[in-house]
Amino acid sequence: MASSFLIIGMIILTQTVVGILGNFSLLCSYIVLHFMGYRLRSTDLILKHLIMANSLVLLSKGVPHTMAVFGLKHIRSDFGSKLLFFLHRVGRGVSISSICLLSVFQVITISPWNSRWAALKVTAPKYVVPSIFLCWILQMLVNVIFSIYTDTKMSDRNNTSNKDFGYCSTILTDQKSRKTRHALPAALLLFRDVLCLGLTLWAGGSMVLILYRHKQQVQHIPRTYASSRSSPESRATKSILLLGSTFVCFYILSSIFQVLLALFDPPSQFLVDITIIIAACFPTVSPFLLISHNSSVQRL
Protein backbone atom coordinates (compact mmCIF):
# COMPACT_ATOMS: atom_id res chain seq x y z
CA MET A 1 0.00 0.00 0.00
CA ALA A 2 2.85 2.38 0.90
CA SER A 3 4.56 1.70 -2.44
CA SER A 4 1.35 2.45 -4.36
CA PHE A 5 0.99 5.78 -2.54
CA LEU A 6 4.61 6.55 -3.39
CA ILE A 7 4.03 5.77 -7.08
CA ILE A 8 0.90 7.94 -7.18
CA GLY A 9 2.78 10.72 -5.40
CA MET A 10 5.65 10.55 -7.90
CA ILE A 11 3.24 10.59 -10.86
CA ILE A 12 1.41 13.67 -9.55
CA LEU A 13 4.69 15.38 -8.61
CA THR A 14 6.21 14.72 -12.05
CA GLN A 15 3.02 15.85 -13.77
CA THR A 16 2.91 19.06 -11.71
CA VAL A 17 6.60 19.93 -12.18
CA VAL A 18 6.61 19.19 -15.93
CA GLY A 19 3.34 21.09 -16.42
CA ILE A 20 4.46 24.17 -14.48
CA LEU A 21 7.84 24.25 -16.29
CA GLY A 22 6.12 23.85 -19.67
CA ASN A 23 3.60 26.63 -19.01
CA PHE A 24 6.26 28.92 -17.52
CA SER A 25 8.61 28.35 -20.48
CA LEU A 26 5.84 29.09 -23.00
CA LEU A 27 4.77 32.26 -21.15
CA CYS A 28 8.39 33.47 -21.00
CA SER A 29 8.74 32.75 -24.72
CA TYR A 30 5.74 34.96 -25.53
CA ILE A 31 7.16 37.75 -23.36
CA VAL A 32 10.60 37.50 -25.01
CA LEU A 33 9.03 37.49 -28.49
CA HIS A 34 7.06 40.60 -27.56
CA PHE A 35 10.21 42.49 -26.49
CA MET A 36 12.07 41.25 -29.58
CA GLY A 37 9.50 43.04 -31.72
CA TYR A 38 7.58 40.03 -33.02
CA ARG A 39 3.98 40.87 -33.87
CA LEU A 40 1.86 38.59 -31.72
CA ARG A 41 -1.66 37.70 -32.84
CA SER A 42 -4.77 38.39 -30.76
CA THR A 43 -5.06 34.66 -30.14
CA ASP A 44 -1.64 34.75 -28.44
CA LEU A 45 -3.12 37.00 -25.75
CA ILE A 46 -5.84 34.43 -25.09
CA LEU A 47 -3.18 31.72 -24.94
CA LYS A 48 -1.26 33.69 -22.29
CA HIS A 49 -4.32 33.66 -20.05
CA LEU A 50 -4.86 29.97 -20.80
CA ILE A 51 -1.28 29.36 -19.63
CA MET A 52 -1.93 31.27 -16.39
CA ALA A 53 -5.16 29.34 -15.81
CA ASN A 54 -3.39 26.02 -16.41
CA SER A 55 -0.63 26.99 -13.96
CA LEU A 56 -3.26 27.90 -11.38
CA VAL A 57 -4.90 24.48 -11.76
CA LEU A 58 -1.58 22.68 -11.34
CA LEU A 59 -0.46 24.75 -8.35
CA SER A 60 -3.78 24.61 -6.49
CA LYS A 61 -4.37 20.89 -7.06
CA GLY A 62 -1.12 19.13 -7.86
CA VAL A 63 1.11 20.67 -5.17
CA PRO A 64 -1.19 20.19 -2.14
CA HIS A 65 -2.23 16.71 -3.28
CA THR A 66 1.42 15.68 -3.64
CA MET A 67 2.05 16.99 -0.13
CA ALA A 68 -0.94 14.96 1.10
CA VAL A 69 0.36 11.77 -0.49
CA PHE A 70 3.76 12.27 1.14
CA GLY A 71 2.39 12.83 4.62
CA LEU A 72 0.65 16.19 5.07
CA LYS A 73 -2.83 14.69 5.11
CA HIS A 74 -5.06 17.70 5.63
CA ILE A 75 -4.91 21.46 5.52
CA ARG A 76 -6.14 22.39 8.99
CA SER A 77 -7.52 25.80 8.12
CA ASP A 78 -11.07 26.06 6.79
CA PHE A 79 -10.00 29.19 4.90
CA GLY A 80 -7.00 27.38 3.38
CA SER A 81 -9.14 24.54 2.07
CA LYS A 82 -11.75 26.90 0.63
CA LEU A 83 -9.03 29.00 -0.99
CA LEU A 84 -7.54 25.95 -2.75
CA PHE A 85 -10.96 24.82 -4.00
CA PHE A 86 -11.66 28.37 -5.15
CA LEU A 87 -8.34 28.78 -7.00
CA HIS A 88 -8.66 25.39 -8.68
CA ARG A 89 -12.20 26.02 -9.87
CA VAL A 90 -11.34 29.52 -11.11
CA GLY A 91 -8.35 28.13 -13.02
CA ARG A 92 -10.45 25.33 -14.48
CA GLY A 93 -13.24 27.74 -15.41
CA VAL A 94 -10.89 30.23 -17.09
CA SER A 95 -9.24 27.33 -18.93
CA ILE A 96 -12.49 26.09 -20.49
CA SER A 97 -13.59 29.68 -21.19
CA SER A 98 -10.25 30.48 -22.87
CA ILE A 99 -10.47 27.41 -25.11
CA CYS A 100 -14.00 28.43 -26.07
CA LEU A 101 -13.01 32.05 -26.72
CA LEU A 102 -9.92 30.96 -28.67
CA SER A 103 -11.93 28.62 -30.91
CA VAL A 104 -14.72 31.13 -31.61
CA PHE A 105 -12.27 33.95 -32.31
CA GLN A 106 -10.28 31.78 -34.73
CA VAL A 107 -13.46 30.84 -36.62
CA ILE A 108 -14.22 34.54 -37.08
CA THR A 109 -10.62 35.23 -38.14
CA ILE A 110 -10.42 32.59 -40.89
CA SER A 111 -13.99 32.91 -42.15
CA PRO A 112 -14.29 34.19 -45.74
CA TRP A 113 -15.09 37.86 -46.31
CA ASN A 114 -18.37 36.90 -47.98
CA SER A 115 -19.60 34.96 -44.93
CA ARG A 116 -21.99 36.17 -42.23
CA TRP A 117 -18.99 36.69 -39.91
CA ALA A 118 -17.38 39.26 -42.23
CA ALA A 119 -18.57 42.22 -40.15
CA LEU A 120 -16.95 40.73 -37.04
CA LYS A 121 -13.55 40.11 -38.65
CA VAL A 122 -12.57 43.75 -38.17
CA THR A 123 -14.20 44.42 -34.79
CA ALA A 124 -13.46 41.09 -33.07
CA PRO A 125 -9.84 41.92 -32.03
CA LYS A 126 -11.13 44.94 -30.07
CA TYR A 127 -13.18 42.65 -27.82
CA VAL A 128 -10.47 40.12 -27.01
CA VAL A 129 -9.12 41.91 -23.91
CA PRO A 130 -12.59 42.75 -22.45
CA SER A 131 -13.72 39.16 -23.09
CA ILE A 132 -10.70 37.74 -21.25
CA PHE A 133 -11.19 39.93 -18.20
CA LEU A 134 -14.92 39.17 -18.24
CA CYS A 135 -14.04 35.45 -18.11
CA TRP A 136 -11.88 35.97 -15.01
CA ILE A 137 -14.49 38.14 -13.27
CA LEU A 138 -17.39 35.75 -13.99
CA GLN A 139 -15.40 32.72 -12.87
CA MET A 140 -14.47 34.44 -9.62
CA LEU A 141 -18.07 35.46 -8.92
CA VAL A 142 -19.50 32.01 -9.66
CA ASN A 143 -16.87 30.24 -7.58
CA VAL A 144 -17.21 32.64 -4.66
CA ILE A 145 -20.83 31.49 -4.51
CA PHE A 146 -19.69 27.86 -4.70
CA SER A 147 -17.16 28.43 -1.89
CA ILE A 148 -19.83 29.98 0.34
CA TYR A 149 -22.04 26.92 -0.10
CA THR A 150 -19.18 24.46 0.52
CA ASP A 151 -17.97 23.55 4.00
CA THR A 152 -14.52 22.10 4.55
CA LYS A 153 -13.35 19.71 7.18
CA MET A 154 -13.09 21.00 10.74
CA SER A 155 -12.19 18.51 13.40
CA ASP A 156 -14.69 19.64 15.98
CA ARG A 157 -17.87 19.39 13.91
CA ASN A 158 -20.29 16.60 14.57
CA ASN A 159 -23.22 14.94 12.81
CA THR A 160 -21.66 15.36 9.40
CA SER A 161 -20.17 13.07 6.81
CA ASN A 162 -16.83 13.96 5.27
CA LYS A 163 -15.94 13.42 1.63
CA ASP A 164 -12.14 13.16 1.66
CA PHE A 165 -10.16 14.64 -1.25
CA GLY A 166 -6.69 13.96 0.12
CA TYR A 167 -5.35 17.29 1.31
CA CYS A 168 -8.72 18.44 2.67
CA SER A 169 -12.32 17.29 2.66
CA THR A 170 -15.77 18.73 2.21
CA ILE A 171 -18.32 18.51 4.95
CA LEU A 172 -21.76 17.38 3.91
CA THR A 173 -24.74 17.58 6.19
CA ASP A 174 -27.86 15.52 5.59
CA GLN A 175 -28.82 14.57 2.04
CA LYS A 176 -31.71 17.04 1.76
CA SER A 177 -29.61 19.94 3.00
CA ARG A 178 -26.79 19.02 0.62
CA LYS A 179 -29.09 18.99 -2.42
CA THR A 180 -30.64 22.34 -1.47
CA ARG A 181 -27.36 24.12 -0.77
CA HIS A 182 -25.52 22.80 -3.81
CA ALA A 183 -28.31 23.26 -6.36
CA LEU A 184 -27.56 26.90 -7.30
CA PRO A 185 -23.74 26.72 -7.63
CA ALA A 186 -23.92 23.33 -9.36
CA ALA A 187 -26.45 24.71 -11.88
CA LEU A 188 -24.21 27.72 -12.60
CA LEU A 189 -21.12 25.56 -13.11
CA LEU A 190 -23.01 23.07 -15.28
CA PHE A 191 -24.46 25.86 -17.44
CA ARG A 192 -20.97 27.35 -17.92
CA ASP A 193 -19.41 24.02 -18.86
CA VAL A 194 -22.19 22.99 -21.26
CA LEU A 195 -22.22 26.41 -22.96
CA CYS A 196 -18.44 26.59 -23.39
CA LEU A 197 -18.13 22.97 -24.48
CA GLY A 198 -20.96 23.39 -26.99
CA LEU A 199 -19.40 26.54 -28.48
CA THR A 200 -15.99 24.85 -28.64
CA LEU A 201 -17.40 21.86 -30.52
CA TRP A 202 -19.33 24.13 -32.90
CA ALA A 203 -16.24 26.28 -33.54
CA GLY A 204 -14.10 23.18 -34.10
CA GLY A 205 -16.56 21.81 -36.64
CA SER A 206 -16.72 25.18 -38.40
CA MET A 207 -12.91 25.38 -38.60
CA VAL A 208 -12.72 21.89 -40.11
CA LEU A 209 -15.35 22.85 -42.70
CA ILE A 210 -13.55 26.10 -43.61
CA LEU A 211 -10.20 24.30 -43.96
CA TYR A 212 -11.81 21.61 -46.11
CA ARG A 213 -13.37 24.20 -48.44
CA HIS A 214 -10.05 26.02 -48.66
CA LYS A 215 -8.28 22.78 -49.56
CA GLN A 216 -10.85 22.13 -52.30
CA GLN A 217 -10.22 25.60 -53.72
CA VAL A 218 -6.41 25.41 -53.75
CA GLN A 219 -6.47 22.08 -55.60
CA HIS A 220 -7.05 24.10 -58.77
CA ILE A 221 -4.02 26.33 -58.11
CA PRO A 222 -0.57 25.31 -59.45
CA ARG A 223 1.38 23.34 -56.85
CA THR A 224 4.25 25.82 -56.46
CA TYR A 225 1.82 28.66 -55.76
CA ALA A 226 -0.47 26.58 -53.55
CA SER A 227 2.42 25.55 -51.30
CA SER A 228 3.32 29.19 -50.69
CA ARG A 229 -0.21 29.85 -49.51
CA SER A 230 0.21 27.78 -46.37
CA SER A 231 -0.46 30.87 -44.27
CA PRO A 232 0.31 31.42 -40.58
CA GLU A 233 -3.45 31.58 -39.97
CA SER A 234 -3.89 28.10 -41.47
CA ARG A 235 -1.16 26.71 -39.22
CA ALA A 236 -2.60 28.54 -36.20
CA THR A 237 -6.04 27.10 -36.97
CA LYS A 238 -4.69 23.55 -37.05
CA SER A 239 -2.87 24.18 -33.75
CA ILE A 240 -6.06 25.50 -32.12
CA LEU A 241 -8.02 22.53 -33.50
CA LEU A 242 -5.53 20.13 -31.94
CA LEU A 243 -5.61 22.05 -28.66
CA GLY A 244 -9.41 22.13 -28.58
CA SER A 245 -9.73 18.44 -29.45
CA THR A 246 -7.26 17.49 -26.72
CA PHE A 247 -9.16 19.62 -24.22
CA VAL A 248 -12.54 18.10 -25.09
CA CYS A 249 -11.18 14.54 -24.78
CA PHE A 250 -9.59 15.16 -21.39
CA TYR A 251 -12.63 17.15 -20.23
CA ILE A 252 -15.04 14.31 -21.02
CA LEU A 253 -12.75 11.78 -19.33
CA SER A 254 -12.34 14.04 -16.29
CA SER A 255 -16.10 14.60 -16.07
CA ILE A 256 -16.73 10.84 -16.00
CA PHE A 257 -14.42 10.45 -13.03
CA GLN A 258 -15.90 13.53 -11.34
CA VAL A 259 -19.34 11.90 -11.56
CA LEU A 260 -17.93 8.67 -10.09
CA LEU A 261 -16.32 10.72 -7.33
CA ALA A 262 -19.67 12.28 -6.48
CA LEU A 263 -21.53 8.95 -6.54
CA PHE A 264 -19.28 7.16 -4.05
CA ASP A 265 -19.59 8.37 -0.48
CA PRO A 266 -16.85 8.22 0.63
CA PRO A 267 -14.79 7.72 -2.57
CA SER A 268 -11.77 5.43 -2.52
CA GLN A 269 -8.35 7.05 -2.33
CA PHE A 270 -7.42 5.44 -5.66
CA LEU A 271 -10.42 7.11 -7.37
CA VAL A 272 -9.47 10.47 -5.87
CA ASP A 273 -5.87 10.10 -7.09
CA ILE A 274 -6.85 9.05 -10.62
CA THR A 275 -9.31 11.97 -10.83
CA ILE A 276 -6.52 14.38 -9.84
CA ILE A 277 -4.13 12.90 -12.42
CA ILE A 278 -6.67 13.09 -15.27
CA ALA A 279 -7.72 16.64 -14.33
CA ALA A 280 -4.07 17.74 -14.58
CA CYS A 281 -3.42 16.06 -17.95
CA PHE A 282 -4.56 18.96 -20.16
CA PRO A 283 -2.74 21.72 -18.19
CA THR A 284 0.40 19.56 -18.41
CA VAL A 285 0.18 18.60 -22.09
CA SER A 286 -1.19 21.83 -23.63
CA PRO A 287 2.01 23.98 -23.46
CA PHE A 288 3.99 21.30 -25.30
CA LEU A 289 1.31 21.07 -28.00
CA LEU A 290 1.53 24.83 -28.49
CA ILE A 291 5.34 24.83 -28.50
CA SER A 292 5.46 22.05 -31.09
CA HIS A 293 3.24 24.06 -33.46
CA ASN A 294 4.91 27.46 -33.02
CA SER A 295 8.15 27.85 -34.98
CA SER A 296 9.02 31.17 -33.33
CA VAL A 297 8.83 29.64 -29.86
CA GLN A 298 10.78 26.58 -31.01
CA ARG A 299 13.66 28.80 -32.21
CA LEU A 300 13.91 30.27 -28.70
Side-chain angles (χ1 to χ4, degrees):
M1 184 63 70
S3 62
S4 65
F5 277 120
L6 180 62
I7 293 171
I8 290 292
M10 290 304 298
I11 292 173
I12 297 174
L13 178 61
T14 303
Q15 197 179 30
T16 303
V17 171
V18 170
I20 290 173
L21 287 176
N23 283 286
F24 181 74
S25 299
L26 185 57
L27 183 60
C28 288
S29 298
Y30 280 127
I31 295 172
V32 171
L33 287 172
H34 175 73
F35 282 106
M36 287 175 63
Y38 282 83
R39 184 178 178 273
L40 298 177
R41 297 183 297 270
S42 299
T43 51
D44 292 328
L45 181 60
I46 303 174
L47 289 174
K48 289 179 185 178
H49 286 265
L50 175 63
I51 292 166
M52 289 189 286
N54 287 340
S55 301
L56 192 61
V57 170
L58 291 169
L59 288 171
S60 62
K61 204 75 168 179
V63 173
H65 198 80
T66 303
M67 294 169 63
V69 170
F70 286 111
L72 184 59
K73 185 62 178 174
H74 289 288
I75 294 174
R76 301 297 178 184
S77 167
D78 179 70
F79 173 77
S81 292
K82 282 191 174 184
L83 180 62
L84 285 175
F85 274 114
F86 172 77
L87 291 176
H88 175 259
R89 290 185 178 278
V90 168
R92 184 175 180 272
V94 173
S95 180
I96 186 174
S97 300
S98 298
I99 291 292
C100 174
L101 183 62
L102 188 67
S103 301
V104 172
F105 183 82
Q106 190 64 18
V107 167
I108 295 173
T109 302
I110 67 172
S111 60
W113 283 101
N114 58 356
S115 69
R116 61 180 180 274
W117 303 108
L120 294 175
K121 287 173 71 71
V122 178
T123 59
K126 301 177 184 178
Y127 297 102
V128 170
V129 174
S131 298
I132 292 171
F133 283 105
L134 183 62
C135 287
W136 281 98
I137 292 170
L138 288 177
Q139 297 306 326
M140 289 180 182
L141 289 176
V142 170
N143 287 285
V144 161
I145 296 173
F146 191 88
S147 298
I148 292 172
Y149 283 89
T150 302
D151 292 326
T152 49
K153 184 176 181 179
M154 301 293 287
S155 58
D156 58 344
R157 295 187 185 181
N158 299 317
N159 300 323
T160 59
S161 59
N162 298 325
K163 181 162 286 194
D164 197 343
F165 293 103
Y167 54 90
C168 58
S169 58
T170 57
I171 292 184
L172 305 174
T173 54
D174 59 275
Q175 188 75 11
K176 183 179 179 180
S177 174
R178 180 173 65 179
K179 287 182 178 179
T180 304
R181 297 184 65 187
H182 286 199
L184 175 61
L188 290 173
L189 293 174
L190 182 63
F191 175 76
R192 176 206 67 189
D193 287 5
V194 170
L195 177 63
C196 290
L197 196 64
L199 286 174
T200 302
L201 291 171
W202 167 81
S206 300
M207 282 188 279
V208 170
L209 184 61
I210 291 172
L211 288 176
Y212 175 75
R213 287 175 177 172
H214 176 71
K215 183 180 178 181
Q216 294 293 105
Q217 291 173 355
V218 299
Q219 283 180 348
H220 305 289
I221 301 174
R223 188 173 184 82
T224 54
Y225 180 67
S227 61
S228 66
R229 288 178 60 85
S230 180
S231 65
E233 286 300 341
S234 178
R235 293 193 297 270
T237 302
K238 292 176 182 177
S239 175
I240 291 171
L241 270 174
L242 178 61
L243 189 69
S245 302
T246 305
F247 174 81
V248 170
C249 291
F250 280 126
Y251 177 85
I252 292 173
L253 191 59
S254 177
S255 297
I256 292 171
F257 278 88
Q258 290 286 351
V259 170
L260 292 175
L261 202 64
L263 292 176
F264 290 95
D265 194 9
S268 67
Q269 188 60 45
F270 177 77
L271 184 59
V272 173
D273 293 335
I274 293 299
T275 304
I276 297 293
I277 291 172
I278 292 174
C281 281
F282 177 76
T284 303
V285 170
S286 60
F288 299 100
L289 291 177
L290 292 169
I291 290 171
S292 65
H293 286 77
N294 192 320
S295 57
S296 299
V297 174
Q298 286 180 19
R299 283 195 293 270
L300 289 176

